[in-house]
Amino acid sequence: MASPISSMIQKGLPAVTNAAHNQYAPAGKWILGTAASVVGMIHVGGVTRLTKSGLSMTDWSPLGSLPPITQEEWETEFARYKTYPEWQQRKSMTLSDFKFIYGWEYGHRMLGRTVGLIFALPWMYFTARGRIPQGYQKRMVGLLAMGGTQGLVGWWMVKSGLGNDRRDDKHEIRVKPIRLATHLSMAVATYGALVWTGFDILGLPHQVKIKEEAMKLSKDALKQARRLRMGSLHLTALTGFTIVSGAFVAGNDAGNAYNTFPKMGDEWVPTGISELTPWYRNIHENTATVQFNHRILGMTTAGGAFALAAMGLSPSKAALVTPQVRRGLYAVGLVAAGQVTLGISTLLMYVPLSFAAAHQLGSIAVLTSGVYLTHSLRYARPALTRAAAAQSANASKKVAGAVVA
C-alpha cells in the first residue's frame, strides 16, 4: 500500500469538476467560462486597436444602443465622426470603410456588456440555488465591480482620443497610452481574478485535508514546493508588468519602429531613450523607451519561465512535486518559448495584424500558465509550510527526548 506521502505527490490536488463530488463544480465552471469570455473581449479589443477602429464611436451609453441600420442613419453617424479630429488624418475614408471600423468598436463594446451578463445572470441563479460557496459572495461582488469599472475606464480611454491632442512625429490622433495600458491592465486583472476564483472553487473538496496532507510531505518536497511557489509568484507578477509594457508599445505604435533584433537598429540601447521631460514621460510616451522596456521585460519573463521549469523538472526534483505542478511547469516553459518567438517574429515582420493579435493572446496564455502553476502549489502556502515545519520540529524533539530517556 502506498504511503500517505507518495499518495499526495502522486495524486496532488486535481480539480474536482464532477458535481457528485463537488456540489459547487457548476459554479466553478461558470467562473472559468466567464474568464474565457474576457479573453475573447481582450482579443476583439486588440483587433479594434490594430485596425484603428477605437475612435469610430464618439459617444457612450452604459446600456448600449442599436447600431446604425438604414443608409440615412449610417450617413448621420459618419457625419458625426467627421466633426472629430481623427477625421483630419483619414479623409480618404469612404462610408464602407467607416462601417468596417465602426463594426469592430461596436462589437467590442457590446461584447463587454455581454460578458457582464454572462457573469451576472448565472450568479443570480447560483445564489438562489445556494450554489455559491460560503465566503465567496464578497468575491463575486468584487468581480462584478471590476467588470463594471472596466466599461468606465474604456470610455475614459476613448475620450482622450476625441480631442486635438496629437502625438509623436506623425502628429497622429491617438488615445493616451497610459489610459490604454490602464484599460488593458483592468481587463487582465479581472481575467486573473476570475481564473483564480474558478480554480479555488474546483479545488474546494481538498480544503479540509490540504493542511493534513501538506504536513505529511517530506522536508525536501516542502522545500522544493516553497521555492517553486515563490518563483511562480514572481513570474506571474513579471508577466503582468510585461503585458502593461506591451500596452505602452501598442499605444505609441512603437512596434513599427526598430524592426530588428536583438539590437534596436544599430544600437543595443537606442539614442533618445530619455529625451522627453519630465523624465517619467519616457516610460509611456517615448517610442524608443517603451519598446526597449518591453524587450527587456519580455526576455526576462521568458528567461524566468525557462529557469523555473528547469528547476522544477530536473531529474532530481521532478519527483518531489505533484502532477498538477509538473503540468504547470511544462506549460510555463513551452508557452513562454512560443510567446517570445511570436513577439520577435511580429517585430521583424513589421507587425502584421494576425501576428500582433496572436502575440496579445500569447501574453494571456503565459499569465494563465503562471496562475495555474501558483494555484497548484497552494499546498506550499506559508501558513501551511510553517505548520508542517513546526510539526516536524516537534517530532524531532520527541525522538531526541526518547533517545535521551
Side-chain angles (χ1 to χ4, degrees):
M1 178 177 173
S3 68
I5 295 178
S6 64
S7 176
M8 172 66 176
I9 293 299
Q10 287 174 6
K11 295 180 181 178
L13 303 169
V16 183
T17 58
N18 190 327
H21 299 99
N22 180 2
Q23 64 172 318
Y24 303 113
K29 294 176 183 178
W30 149 63
I31 289 290
L32 291 180
T34 304
S37 69
V38 171
V39 175
M41 186 181 71
I42 291 172
H43 176 61
V44 171
V47 175
T48 299
R49 182 194 59 77
L50 289 165
T51 55
K52 298 183 178 181
S53 304
L55 298 177
S56 57
M57 293 182 68
T58 55
D59 60 355
W60 181 72
S61 169
L63 298 179
S65 59
L66 291 174
I69 297 174
T70 65
Q71 182 71 12
E72 182 181 356
E73 288 173 342
W74 275 113
E75 289 176 353
T76 299
E77 192 65 35
F78 193 26
R80 181 189 301 171
Y81 173 72
K82 290 179 179 179
T83 64
Y84 286 86
E86 188 185 47
W87 165 251
Q88 300 302 316
Q89 63 195 32
R90 309 183 77 172
K91 287 186 175 181
S92 62
M93 180 184 292
T94 65
L95 179 60
S96 178
D97 296 331
F98 175 71
K99 288 180 179 180
F100 175 79
I101 65 169
Y102 189 97
W104 276 110
E105 175 63 8
Y106 183 82
H108 179 53
R109 293 192 187 190
M110 294 310 294
L111 183 56
R113 295 179 176 92
T114 302
V115 171
L117 293 176
I118 290 172
F119 179 84
L121 296 180
W123 178 26
M124 290 188 287
Y125 170 79
F126 285 122
T127 298
R129 296 290 301 273
R131 294 299 177 88
I132 299 296
Q134 186 176 359
Y136 276 72
Q137 285 291 8
K138 288 184 179 179
R139 200 184 299 195
M140 300 301 165
V141 172
L143 289 168
L144 184 64
M146 291 176 75
T149 302
Q150 177 69 349
L152 295 174
V153 171
W155 176 239
W156 174 67
M157 175 193 70
V158 169
K159 282 186 69 176
S160 70
L162 296 179
N164 201 28
D165 187 4
R166 297 177 182 272
R167 276 177 259 288
D168 67 34
D169 56 348
K170 296 179 181 178
H171 301 290
E172 287 189 354
I173 293 292
R174 291 201 201 110
V175 299
K176 290 184 177 179
I178 198 163
R179 296 194 185 188
L180 174 65
T182 303
H183 187 49
L184 178 60
S185 298
M186 279 291 297
V188 171
T190 303
Y191 169 75
L194 285 164
V195 170
W196 188 272
T197 299
F199 287 163
D200 267 356
I201 293 174
L202 294 180
L204 282 174
H206 301 299
Q207 288 299 100
V208 177
K209 291 188 176 183
I210 187 171
K211 182 177 180 180
E212 176 187 336
E213 293 297 326
M215 289 182 175
K216 293 176 182 177
L217 294 176
S218 69
K219 194 175 189 179
D220 286 342
L222 279 173
K223 182 179 179 181
Q224 176 71 351
R226 282 197 300 267
R227 291 176 64 196
L228 290 175
R229 184 175 183 275
M230 185 59 66
S232 66
L233 284 170
H234 289 160
L235 178 65
T236 305
L238 186 58
T239 302
F241 283 119
T242 305
I243 291 172
V244 173
S245 74
F248 289 141
V249 171
N252 289 278
D253 279 345
N256 290 311
Y258 305 103
N259 298 95
T260 57
F261 189 86
K263 289 185 176 182
M264 296 179 67
D266 296 323
E267 303 172 298
W268 288 105
V269 179
T271 304
I273 198 170
S274 58
E275 66 182 8
L276 299 182
T277 55
W279 65 268
Y280 56 80
R281 287 181 57 208
N282 292 287
I283 297 173
H284 54 85
E285 292 183 18
N286 186 324
T287 295
T289 309
V290 298
Q291 193 189 123
F292 179 78
N293 289 345
H294 188 57
R295 287 185 182 217
I296 296 300
L297 284 168
M299 296 307 295
T300 304
T301 301
F306 300 152
L308 188 64
M311 181 176 73
L313 296 171
S314 63
S316 62
K317 300 296 185 182
L320 296 174
V321 296
T322 67
Q324 295 78 36
V325 172
R326 283 194 292 276
R327 283 197 290 270
L329 289 166
Y330 278 117
V332 160
L334 292 173
V335 173
Q339 174 67 348
V340 75
T341 302
L342 185 57
I344 293 170
S345 300
T346 302
L347 180 70
L348 297 179
M349 297 177 69
Y350 289 82
V351 199
L353 189 151
S354 57
F355 276 60
H359 185 54
Q360 185 177 65
L361 285 179
S363 69
I364 302 301
V366 176
L367 180 74
T368 305
S369 65
V371 171
Y372 175 82
L373 177 59
T374 305
H375 195 270
S376 298
L377 286 158
R378 62 194 182 280
Y379 64 90
R381 295 196 306 266
L384 294 180
T385 54
R386 281 196 298 268
Q391 184 187 59
S392 177
N394 290 333
S396 299
K397 288 180 182 178
K398 288 179 180 178
V399 171
V403 170
V404 172

